Amino acid sequence: MNSTSTPTHCPYCALQCGMNLSPSPDGGVEVLERTDFPVNRGALCGKGRTAPAVLSSRVRLTSPLVRDGDTLVPATWDEALDRIAGALRRTRAEHGADALGVFGGGGLTNEKAYSLGKFARVVLGTSQIDYNGRFCMSSAAAGGMKAFGLDRGLPFPLEDIPRTGCVILVGSNLAETMPPSLRYLTELKENGGTLIVVDPRRTKTAEQADLHLAPRPGTDLALALGLLHLVVAEGRTDEEYIRVRTSGWEDTRAAAMAHWPEYVERITGVSVPELREAVRMFCEPESAMVLTARGPEQQAKGTDTVGAWINLCLATGRAGRPYSGFGCLTGQGNGQGGREHGQKADQLPGYRKLDDPAARRHVAEVWGVDPDSLPGPGRSAYELLDALGTDIRTLLLMGSNPVVSAPRAAHVEERIKSLGFLAVCDVVLSETAELADVVLPVTQWAEETGTTTNLEGRVLLRRQAITPPEGVRSDLEVMHELAARLGVEKGFPTDPEEVFEELRRASAGGPADYSGITYRRLAEENGVFWPCPAPGAALDDRGAADPEDASLDVSADDPVRDEETAAGAHPGTPRLFLDRFATPDGRARFVPVTHRAVAEEPDDEYPVLLTTGRVVAQYQSGAQTRRVDELNAAAPGPFVELHPRLAARLGAAEGDPVAVVSRRGRAVAPARITHAIRPDTVFMPFHWPGEGRANTLTNPALDPTSRMPEFKACAVRLEAVKSGN
């Protein structure tokens, strides 16, 4: 590593790949390989390599903007902050605290997410706070809580994946969404393991599979139930494991037995021989894993779908054992930490529940407020956005672009336009920021220090490498200044380490316990896995394995403990549930589920299913990546992927404009014709605004538990677009 380089982490997905930043001749920074970080071992995708492009003042915001009629014009920081504080104060006085909304982002650091939740509840007194991470893995979180009593995306490190015997990867295209992670699947196969990919498209990831199952979108629940039926029918259950480590099996078995293979074949389109082969591949090795992502989770039955895959793991003894388990591949950069520390509608720091009196007392004591002053749980993300302009009159938004990323996006855009006042903190002028009354330019990854928590539950330190441009401030400074203007002079420090120290105290004793983690440890180690209680604290029922337990022979692969750990600090918990699950009795809970249809089935008027996703060169709403020339050259715009048979019926050739119409709107993009997709399904990436905005079409039907919208399946029709239309 160059002596002038700064070790840090990528600003994009939840891998949080390690990289080094070194000064470049043009005054910026360039990305250098960082081989010491175990998650990516130096490998980076195109987004990571080009991330410094967004640091350029030609791309990013460098001055506050305020609305003057139909335009946004530069303003001073004092003018911009005074406008925001005035709007917040007036709205609260005229309509009450819950007329104030706060919407955060899964890319905010832990310090920002923690402070934003505290700001909403202590300064504003509003219950109306949620974040775009609700659209990421809330269904997996809910399913994990029901079954295991704890939600951490992966309960084991990524390095365990190549050592298992079989992986079922459900609804994830890692080759495009997290390219550096694909090597774990490659190593799995090199070690003799097998890979099953479940996806309605034959993606680049599916091409690596030993078995590709291509179910109809929205039928992953039936597929998992069909596999469990066969496990029972073929005598492949682990009866001793079920007896000793689980509860609730009888009802779950009965539910699964109602989903016989031929019935599941009719629902999913996956043949009975394929179902039987999947069961054989999954059950024959000594160990196996199921990994889910947005495919099964972004459904109006996503929690039950995740639960069905967990039930498959439990019935076969594939959870809480070495190199076995169920895990969720978190998407956003800090999607894990972002929901752990308070910007989710129903949670307090440390993954505590907002309606738990003991949790309220603990956090209120740290914050120096009366527990009774804290508001209760508020609306979930889509419900909050849907209430804009009616119940919610003023919105403070940090690090999100719902005009592009929210379901039923045209409706959400109209709700945002109906607000009395919108303030946006962002790095770039996103499509949502363009609608704001005030836009504040805030620091980004390389311009600030802070922590994130990756998909493994590994807490990481992202270090500041460069000085932000003049005129740019951090989100922590924004909250400090707004709190002071609203009469709260203390409690909102601007130094991220000081915020983290308070976060440690607030999380202490909670499910996501960070109290034993310090900036010094993070600077010296390659991250620390939570839970990591302070020395002397008990782990209670969190299901963490004893770090000294010799029964799991993985010590040679764990980071060398530093002097702090040797002196008595907890080493962190890379692997959960090896001794017990985080339930009161230590047993995992089977939750019986049954198949049900998608919220919007195709019919004569809308005969095709639409599913959405990502491409390798763009990220989320594209607000940042669409400003990078190299990435735009690779993925310049939206498209509609459809099967040749469907294209022939439509009379569309490759590249022809195609209109996709749902009950919520119309999107137009060029046709991309391929045999890699089912004939009854079309696919659109969701990174772009304008006429090709995929989320104009998507259905906001919500999962009853997680409140996750059904992004992954809605009924549409296709129309040829004539020249001039």
Side-chain angles (χ1 to χ4, degrees):
M1 183 180 76
N2 188 311
S3 61
T4 61
S5 295
T6 302
T8 190
H9 296 273
C10 178
Y12 292 116
C13 82
L15 286 179
Q16 287 296 282
C17 291
M19 59 171 61
N20 290 311
L21 296 181
S22 180
S24 59
D26 61 2
V29 292
E30 60 180 343
V31 172
L32 301 178
E33 187 178 80
R34 180 182 169 190
T35 57
D36 69 308
F37 187 61
V39 170
N40 63 309
R41 301 180 204 164
L44 291 168
C45 71
K47 294 185 292 290
R49 286 188 294 98
T50 61
V54 187
L55 298 169
S56 169
S57 295
R58 297 187 300 274
V59 171
R60 54 124 52 249
L61 293 168
T62 57
S63 170
L65 303 173
V66 299
R67 185 156 298 282
D68 182 8
D70 293 332
T71 61
L72 289 166
V73 299
T76 66
W77 269 94
D78 281 340
E79 179 186 357
L81 290 166
D82 286 345
R83 284 202 188 191
I84 298 172
L88 295 170
R89 190 182 299 111
R90 286 191 302 273
T91 300
R92 186 169 58 185
E94 295 173 8
H95 304 285
D98 274 357
L100 302 174
V102 177
F103 199 87
L108 300 182
T109 62
N110 289 319
E111 293 80 3
K112 294 178 183 180
Y114 171 83
S115 295
L116 189 60
K118 181 181 178 182
F119 180 86
R121 296 178 175 106
V122 172
V123 178
L124 301 182
T126 184
S127 66
Q128 301 304 302
I129 175 173
D130 210 75
Y131 80 128
N132 63 13
R134 176 79 66 170
F135 302 154
C136 177
M137 60 168 291
S138 56
S139 292
M145 290 296 294
K146 285 185 177 185
F148 306 131
L150 185 69
D151 156 44
R152 196 179 83 184
L154 293 181
F156 42 75
L158 285 162
E159 66 187 36
D160 285 3
I161 292 175
R163 304 180 185 188
T164 193
C166 177
V167 169
I168 301 181
L169 184 65
V170 189
S172 174
N173 183 13
L174 286 178
E176 298 207 54
T177 59
M178 297 178 174
S181 69
L182 194 63
R183 69 174 176 82
Y184 292 103
L185 300 180
T186 302
E187 291 172 10
L188 165 75
K189 297 182 67 175
E190 290 173 349
N191 291 342
T194 56
L195 174 64
I196 302 169
V197 171
V198 178
D199 199 304
R201 305 165 61 221
R202 187 163 181 80
T203 64
K204 292 181 180 178
T205 307
E207 289 174 355
Q208 308 301 311
D210 298 284
L211 177 63
H212 173 213
L213 306 179
R216 185 171 177 263
T219 64
D220 313 83
L221 174 53
L223 178 63
L225 285 162
L227 296 178
L228 183 54
H229 177 109
L230 285 170
V231 165
V232 175
E234 295 177 4
R236 296 181 183 270
T237 56
D238 188 331
E239 294 296 328
E240 177 66 10
Y241 175 93
I242 291 170
R243 184 184 67 80
V244 173
R245 299 208 61 187
T246 73
S247 62
W249 169 232
E250 292 303 321
D251 289 344
T252 295
R253 178 172 59 186
M257 297 316 288
H259 296 77
W260 59 95
E262 292 77 12
Y263 172 57
V264 170
E265 180 181 72
R266 289 198 301 271
I267 294 170
T268 65
V270 177
S271 71
V272 173
E274 288 177 311
L275 296 173
R276 293 189 184 279
E277 178 64 5
V279 167
R280 184 196 66 78
M281 291 170 62
F282 185 67
C283 292
E284 285 189 353
E286 185 175 335
S287 59
M289 296 176 178
V290 172
L291 304 177
T292 66
R294 306 300 78 77
E297 297 162 16
Q298 287 182 328
Q299 299 183 27
K301 54 181 182 295
T303 301
D304 284 357
T305 303
V306 167
W309 289 103
I310 291 175
N311 288 342
L312 179 66
C313 290
L314 295 178
T316 53
R318 310 301 206 180
R321 284 179 168 172
Y323 314 124
S324 288
F326 170 86
C328 166
L329 299 166
T330 309
Q332 294 190 80
N334 198 31
Q336 181 72 51
R339 71 179 179 281
E340 292 169 2
H341 298 301
Q343 64 174 337
K344 192 165 173 277
D346 59 349
Q347 286 177 194
L348 288 170
Y351 223 135
R352 288 181 161 91
K353 299 298 289 183
L354 188 54
D355 56 5
D356 177 359
R360 293 169 68 88
R361 285 194 301 272
H362 173 85
V363 174
E365 183 177 358
V366 174
W367 288 351
V369 300
D370 184 340
D372 292 338
S373 71
L374 298 177
R379 292 176 172 91
S380 70
Y382 179 77
E383 292 166 305
L384 189 157
L385 294 171
D386 191 42
L388 299 181
T390 53
D391 293 345
I392 298 173
R393 309 298 183 93
T394 293
L395 181 68
L396 173 63
L397 186 146
M398 284 189 174
S400 185
N401 188 19
V403 165
V404 177
S405 64
R408 197 185 173 195
H411 171 74
V412 168
E413 182 175 354
E414 289 304 311
R415 300 314 319 141
I416 289 173
K417 289 178 178 177
S418 73
L419 280 164
F421 190 90
L422 172 63
V424 173
C425 301
D426 211 331
V427 172
V428 297
L429 191 65
S430 70
E431 287 72 24
T432 305
E434 289 175 353
L435 305 178
D437 296 281
V438 176
V439 182
L440 300 180
V442 291
T443 51
Q444 56 180 308
W445 63 293
E447 301 165 349
E448 61 186 11
T449 293
T451 62
T452 61
T453 306
N454 81 344
L455 77 172
E456 307 166 293
R458 188 193 301 253
V459 184
L460 304 165
L461 184 64
R462 282 206 313 217
R463 299 166 176 86
Q464 181 178 350
I466 61 172
T467 302
E470 185 178 353
V472 174
R473 299 184 185 180
S474 76
D475 297 277
L476 296 179
E477 291 177 277
V478 169
M479 286 181 273
H480 173 86
E481 292 290 340
L482 289 177
R485 283 167 167 78
L486 294 170
V488 181
E489 298 288 344
K490 296 181 179 180
F492 291 88
T494 60
D495 175 47
E497 186 170 6
E498 188 176 346
V499 175
F500 189 79
E501 287 299 304
E502 183 178 301
L503 182 158
R504 292 176 63 206
R505 298 196 302 275
S507 74
D513 191 335
Y514 283 31
S515 61
I517 304 174
T518 65
Y519 267 36
R520 186 178 78 79
R521 282 191 67 179
L522 295 177
E524 296 173 359
E525 303 177 34
N526 275 320
V528 177
F529 292 84
W530 71 260
C532 182
L539 273 175
D540 300 324
D541 293 321
R542 272 164 262 157
D546 181 349
E548 305 296 342
D549 186 354
S551 66
L552 180 62
D553 185 19
V554 293
S555 58
D557 301 296
D558 287 343
V560 176
R561 297 172 183 167
D562 66 4
E563 293 178 1
E564 182 176 341
T565 302
H570 192 281
T573 313
R575 297 167 181 88
L576 296 168
F577 312 139
L578 294 178
D579 297 323
R580 57 181 286 123
F581 294 96
T583 57
D585 62 2
R587 292 170 175 261
R589 296 174 291 215
F590 282 101
V591 179
V593 294
T594 57
H595 169 71
R596 59 184 185 274
V598 296
E600 189 177 75
E601 284 278 19
D603 55 22
D604 290 343
E605 187 176 2
Y606 300 95
V608 177
L609 278 170
L610 167 71
T611 192
T612 64
R614 288 171 47 188
V615 297
V616 67
Q618 301 289 351
Y619 180 72
Q620 301 299 80
S621 75
Q624 296 179 9
T625 52
R626 284 187 277 110
R627 288 166 167 80
V628 179
D629 291 342
E630 181 179 331
L631 300 179
N632 282 333
F639 57 86
V640 180
E641 185 176 281
L642 67 165
H643 192 275
R645 274 187 271 167
L646 194 54
R649 289 202 299 270
L650 186 65
E654 180 76 15
D656 285 353
V658 171
V660 184
V661 184
S662 78
R663 290 177 172 85
R664 289 152 297 280
R666 182 176 190 263
V668 179
R672 183 173 294 182
I673 301 171
T674 174
H675 285 92
I677 192 167
R678 292 173 55 97
D680 57 3
T681 301
V682 295
F683 167 83
M684 290 188 72
F686 61 81
H687 309 290
W688 288 273
E691 71 170 3
R693 180 174 59 185
N695 277 320
T696 296
L697 309 168
T698 49
N699 189 358
L702 301 181
D703 180 288
T705 301
S706 69
R707 316 309 288 169
M708 168 76 85
E710 190 153 76
F711 287 98
K712 289 303 182 187
C714 70
V716 298
R717 68 170 179 265
L718 304 184
E719 298 174 351
V721 177
K722 298 179 181 179
S723 178
N725 287 2

